[in-house]
Amino acid sequence: MNDIHQFALPIGVIGERIRSKRKESNLTVDEVAEKIGLSQSMVSQMERGKAKPSLDTLWKLSIIFDVSLSYFFEGIKKNSVFFSRREEQEILTMRHPNVKYRVLAPLTGTKLEFFEITVSPDRGEEVPLLPHQGEEGGIVLQGEIEVTIGDEKYVLKQGDSIYFDSTKPHSFRNPGKDPAVAIWTGTPWGPVDES
């Protein structure tokens, strides 16, 4: 029973890493605050370990600083079992604006990320094709999801699954009228090395 825990962010360590990356990126606290949609005061408090950043905030920071989300958790001891109740699971709006990601396992330097994704019905908006390091895949539980990978489109209905190399630009679209839901997993997100 000792290994089962509710995940608590080590906010002091994470704050130091936010400050370090911000300075390395030659950004002011004000500039970072504007980019992630928080107040300057909140970013300052996070850097000093006085405020807990949400996973959504850390995700946005990882994109701004061009690091993987796991950067903020490197070297932090983690337990072998993670347990979370649905009402405590955080919801992220990562790089795909039409997709909400419910975090089912910690994003703390683990070898896999595990989400329930909800894809909003298509409203004609531009859905960007985005690459990142790693591999991913999922299974549709409800509705229909069109996954575009490069020039290829794959329509997944309830029970259908897909697995692919995430370095290929990809996007998700829901051609139906109701939200589509899938369970999604993959290796941790990281920026694509352009060199």
Side-chain angles (χ1 to χ4, degrees):
M1 215 52 168
N2 293 0
D3 282 345
I4 297 177
H5 73 288
Q6 299 295 324
F7 178 66
L9 291 175
I11 61 176
V13 173
I14 291 171
E16 290 171 17
R17 292 179 183 176
I18 293 170
R19 180 185 293 118
S20 171
K21 274 297 173 189
R22 176 181 59 77
K23 288 183 175 182
E24 192 179 300
S25 301
N26 294 316
L27 293 170
T28 66
V29 171
D30 285 334
E31 289 169 328
V32 169
E34 185 177 327
K35 287 177 184 286
I36 63 174
L38 292 177
S39 69
Q40 178 274 341
S41 169
M42 179 56 83
V43 172
S44 178
Q45 287 179 46
M46 287 188 312
E47 285 191 357
R48 292 179 319 203
K50 304 292 185 196
K52 175 183 170 183
S54 69
L55 287 175
D56 196 46
T57 295
L58 290 174
W59 178 257
K60 290 173 185 172
L61 288 168
S62 74
I63 293 169
I64 291 168
F65 299 146
D66 200 28
V67 296
S68 68
L69 184 61
S70 64
Y71 161 80
F72 298 107
F73 306 100
E74 287 169 1
I76 295 169
K77 185 178 182 309
K78 57 186 178 288
N79 289 356
S80 60
V81 176
F82 174 81
F83 171 80
S84 71
R85 302 222 178 265
R86 184 158 182 91
E87 62 271 11
E88 297 166 350
Q89 295 165 352
E90 201 160 345
I91 296 177
L92 310 180
T93 54
M94 304 196 321
R95 298 177 75 205
H96 298 282
N98 61 329
V99 181
K100 295 214 180 307
Y101 296 77
R102 178 180 290 275
V103 180
L104 303 178
L107 303 175
T108 57
T110 55
K111 293 178 185 163
L112 288 175
E113 293 178 341
F114 187 40
F115 303 100
E116 174 190 275
I117 66 170
T118 302
V119 184
S120 303
D122 186 15
R123 291 181 170 68
E125 69 270 86
E126 182 69 28
V127 179
L129 287 167
L130 300 169
H132 56 84
Q133 285 182 3
E135 301 172 23
E136 65 187 270
I139 183 168
V140 174
L141 301 179
Q142 168 188 317
E144 195 174 299
I145 298 175
E146 179 184 280
V147 181
T148 300
I149 304 167
D151 296 331
E152 300 289 325
K153 293 186 187 310
Y154 304 87
V155 177
L156 283 71
K157 297 183 180 188
Q158 185 175 348
D160 294 344
S161 63
I162 192 167
Y163 181 85
F164 59 94
D165 178 343
S166 305
T167 61
K168 297 180 180 195
H170 57 280
S171 67
F172 306 96
R173 195 169 106 15
N174 175 355
K177 292 184 171 46
D178 297 315
V181 179
I183 297 296
W184 218 256
T185 190
T187 52
W189 179 92
V192 173
D193 186 5
E194 301 291 339
S195 56

